[in-house]
Amino acid sequence: DEPLGFPPGAEAILVTAEGDGRQYKLTLHTADSWTMSVPAWSHDFRPEPGQVGTWKLPLRDFKASKQGRPVEGAVLSPAMVTGVGVGHSLYDMHGRPNPHFG
């Protein structure tokens, strides 16, 4: 997969969403994270029910994980990101149970 074109100096991603009270996770993938050989990178956000909000998610705060398990010491390279996803997960970006799942 080809990188999406995040500049190497990118610092954050802005997310705008309407809330339903659940906690969501924005996930960044690199070419190899689809095969689980390298981690994916996640950041949580929780829109308030019925309200539209915008979150600035600093790239330095994204957490690396493989199949929901944290990966320590991994370094995200924004220029290598090939995919972005939004999900509602049983686990938060730290690998703990999501208290707002359901």
Side-chain angles (χ1 to χ4, degrees), residues 40-56:
W41 304 85
S42 299
H43 199 299
D44 298 330
F45 66 99
R46 183 172 174 245
E48 292 299 319
Q51 296 182 15
V52 175
T54 299
W55 290 262
K56 183 176 183 178

Side-chain angles (χ1 to χ4, degrees), residues 3 8-9 11-13 15 17 21 25 37 45 50 54-55 61 67 74 80 82 89 95 98:
E11 295 182 6
I13 294 177
V15 175
K25 186 185 296 185
S37 62
F45 66 99
T54 299
W55 290 262
D61 293 344
Q67 298 179 325
M80 299 303 293
T82 59
S89 175
N98 176 357

Side-chain angles (χ1 to χ4, degrees), residues 43-99:
H43 199 299
D44 298 330
F45 66 99
R46 183 172 174 245
E48 292 299 319
Q51 296 182 15
V52 175
T54 299
W55 290 262
K56 183 176 183 178
L57 308 179
L59 291 171
R60 70 178 176 277
D61 293 344
F62 276 69
K63 301 297 180 191
S65 67
K66 284 185 185 180
Q67 298 179 325
R69 293 184 178 96
V71 174
E72 299 299 324
V75 178
L76 173 62
S77 174
M80 299 303 293
V81 172
T82 59
V84 177
V86 175
H88 180 53
S89 175
L90 284 168
Y91 301 99
D92 68 12
M93 65 192 234
H94 302 284
R96 298 181 301 237
N98 176 357

